[in-house]
Amino acid sequence: MTDVAAANAVPRFAAITLGSNSFNMLVAQSSASEPEVIAKFKQKVRLAQSINPDGNLSPEGMQRGLNCLAWFAKKLESEAVERTAVKVYATAALRQIDNAREFQLKAQSILGLPLEIISGEQEAAIIFQGMTATTPGSGRRLVIDIGGASTEFIVGQEQQMECLLSLDIGCVAANRQLSSDAVVNENSWLLLQQWIADQVGDQLGPINGAAFDHVVGASGIVQSLMEIARNRKLPERIDTQLLQQVKQECLGQPLLKPAITGLQEERKPTLVSGIAILSYLFDALAIDSMTRSGGALREGVLYQAQQLLHATSTNKKP
């Protein structure tokens, strides 16, 4: 970009989120004070499945993550995003591993940016911010975001959060309870349900005690089920009937590659575990149905990046 073009260009900002399953980057510019997304980048890095029994991220998993960040760094250059207008957050997988500091330092060197490993409650708060900014609705809402290694719960009304909870249950973590070549049957289903129950314990008390009018899902498994429903010309919502129907279709199929009509290939490895977690939560929280959020963590981070750009621009003014 020439100096003249750079001077006339609308400033861009970016949000990078390092999830347990996928790394995402959104590039945006402000339009009527709102972020206007102009580019999206994503890779299925699957960090959570690369955590060794000793609690460390494997060398192969670390390299996959760093390679993705090197790609993101090149995209920041080609999209003309100033490093002072980028937010980078990492979530559950990096919260849980013992060699997180090693990854963090290498990532910061590649990106030329600070990488913050956020807590579960911080993640939940940002998810709620991303949901309220992108999802019309009123009343008190329960937001559930099932990731690769953790699940976040938020109860709130409008922009006011009333309850935040993060649990160490996720689709990739659930898959690790079975062998990678397992075939789904009633016994393996019960093993998944028991693991989820053991992980959750009595921790859902605060959510059970909070009244809510609507339930909103913000995760890959929710998107997967919405894709299936859309393909079958069903209402785009999740209920116990849809969960039971897809579960039955998965029986007798490989855990990581169920052949389900209407489902993208990249979503197959987490379908069964995601349904198992959602089914458990529907029962435990007496949920009848769930709709899909228009945004979650990455959209919440994008708003923070926009605020960072605004603060930087204000400080530069004479």
Side-chain angles (χ1 to χ4, degrees), residues 175 178 181-189 192 221 224-225 228 232 241-264 267-277 279:
N175 279 345
L178 304 173
D181 60 351
V183 172
V184 183
N185 54 38
E186 290 294 350
N187 184 56
S188 57
W189 179 263
L192 286 175
I221 180 57
S224 295
L225 289 167
I228 293 170
R232 300 176 185 190
Q241 183 177 348
L242 180 62
L243 288 172
Q244 183 63 21
Q245 178 184 336
V246 181
K247 174 212 165 181
Q248 289 298 321
E249 292 177 23
C250 289
L251 293 177
Q253 299 205 46
L255 172 69
L256 303 182
K257 287 190 176 182
I260 302 296
T261 302
L263 184 64
Q264 293 182 36
R267 298 196 188 279
K268 290 183 178 181
T270 54
L271 179 68
V272 174
S273 54
I275 291 173
I277 294 170
S279 297

Side-chain angles (χ1 to χ4, degrees), residues 144-162:
I144 301 176
D145 190 318
I146 302 170
S150 72
T151 296
E152 280 64 49
F153 305 81
I154 314 95
V155 177
Q157 189 165 8
E158 296 181 348
Q159 281 75 44
Q160 185 64 41
M161 289 172 281
E162 301 172 13

Side-chain angles (χ1 to χ4, degrees), residues 208 212 281-288:
N208 254 322
F212 47 86
L281 295 177
F282 266 53
D283 288 341
L285 297 172
I287 297 171
D288 294 320

Side-chain angles (χ1 to χ4, degrees), residues 22-25 40-44 71-72 266-267:
S22 302
F23 285 9
N24 287 274
M25 183 169 76
K40 297 181 180 181
F41 305 99
K42 177 180 179 180
Q43 279 192 13
K44 287 283 187 182
W71 179 57
F72 283 176
E266 68 172 15
R267 298 196 188 279

Side-chain angles (χ1 to χ4, degrees), residues 294-308:
L297 180 70
R298 60 183 184 175
E299 287 76 17
V301 177
L302 192 64
Y303 272 84
Q304 292 193 8
Q306 184 182 37
Q307 293 166 1
L308 181 64

Side-chain angles (χ1 to χ4, degrees), residues 5-260:
N8 293 328
V10 177
R12 294 179 173 185
F13 49 96
I16 297 175
T17 53
L18 281 56
S20 303
N21 205 28
S22 302
F23 285 9
N24 287 274
M25 183 169 76
L26 297 179
V27 176
Q29 60 190 20
S30 294
S31 176
S33 300
E34 293 294 314
E36 176 191 352
V37 176
I38 56 179
K40 297 181 180 181
F41 305 99
K42 177 180 179 180
Q43 279 192 13
K44 287 283 187 182
V45 177
R46 303 194 191 280
L47 281 192
Q49 75 178 29
S50 299
I51 300 176
N52 290 330
D54 64 2
N56 284 300
L57 182 64
S58 71
E60 296 80 14
M62 183 172 294
Q63 193 58 53
R64 282 200 310 274
L66 297 175
N67 288 345
C68 179
L69 295 182
W71 179 57
F72 283 176
K74 290 179 180 177
K75 293 300 181 182
L76 288 174
E77 294 290 342
S78 64
E79 295 292 335
V81 182
E82 293 288 343
R83 292 296 199 275
T84 54
V86 183
K87 276 284 188 181
V88 189
Y89 287 148
T91 60
L94 285 173
R95 285 199 294 269
Q96 296 170 7
I97 61 173
D98 293 334
N99 55 343
R101 183 60 176 164
E102 178 187 353
F103 184 95
Q104 186 179 33
L105 291 174
K106 289 180 177 179
Q108 290 177 167
S109 176
I110 290 170
L111 290 170
L113 292 163
L115 163 61
E116 184 176 352
I117 302 173
I118 56 176
S119 69
E121 285 201 352
Q122 286 176 303
E123 184 177 354
I126 298 171
I127 288 167
F128 190 76
Q129 182 182 10
M131 185 281 295
T132 57
T134 58
T135 313
S138 59
R140 186 172 286 104
R141 293 188 273 190
L142 165 61
V143 184
I144 301 176
D145 190 318
I146 302 170
S150 72
T151 296
E152 280 64 49
F153 305 81
I154 314 95
V155 177
Q157 189 165 8
E158 296 181 348
Q159 281 75 44
Q160 185 64 41
M161 289 172 281
E162 301 172 13
C163 182
L164 299 172
L165 178 66
S166 178
L167 301 181
D168 290 338
I169 55 171
C171 295
V172 178
N175 279 345
R176 291 166 67 93
Q177 308 314 305
L178 304 173
S179 63
S180 60
D181 60 351
V183 172
V184 183
N185 54 38
E186 290 294 350
N187 184 56
S188 57
W189 179 263
L190 289 174
L191 286 172
L192 286 175
Q193 291 282 287
Q194 187 58 57
W195 176 80
I196 295 163
D198 291 343
Q199 296 301 112
V200 172
D202 60 0
Q203 297 179 83
L204 289 176
I207 305 299
N208 254 322
F212 47 86
D213 304 309
H214 312 285
V215 183
V216 181
S219 60
I221 180 57
V222 172
Q223 293 178 35
S224 295
L225 289 167
M226 291 297 180
E227 285 177 6
I228 293 170
R230 191 181 307 120
N231 178 268
R232 300 176 185 190
K233 296 180 170 52
L234 298 172
E236 290 191 31
R237 63 184 177 86
I238 298 170
D239 55 22
T240 52
Q241 183 177 348
L242 180 62
L243 288 172
Q244 183 63 21
Q245 178 184 336
V246 181
K247 174 212 165 181
Q248 289 298 321
E249 292 177 23
C250 289
L251 293 177
Q253 299 205 46
L255 172 69
L256 303 182
K257 287 190 176 182
I260 302 296

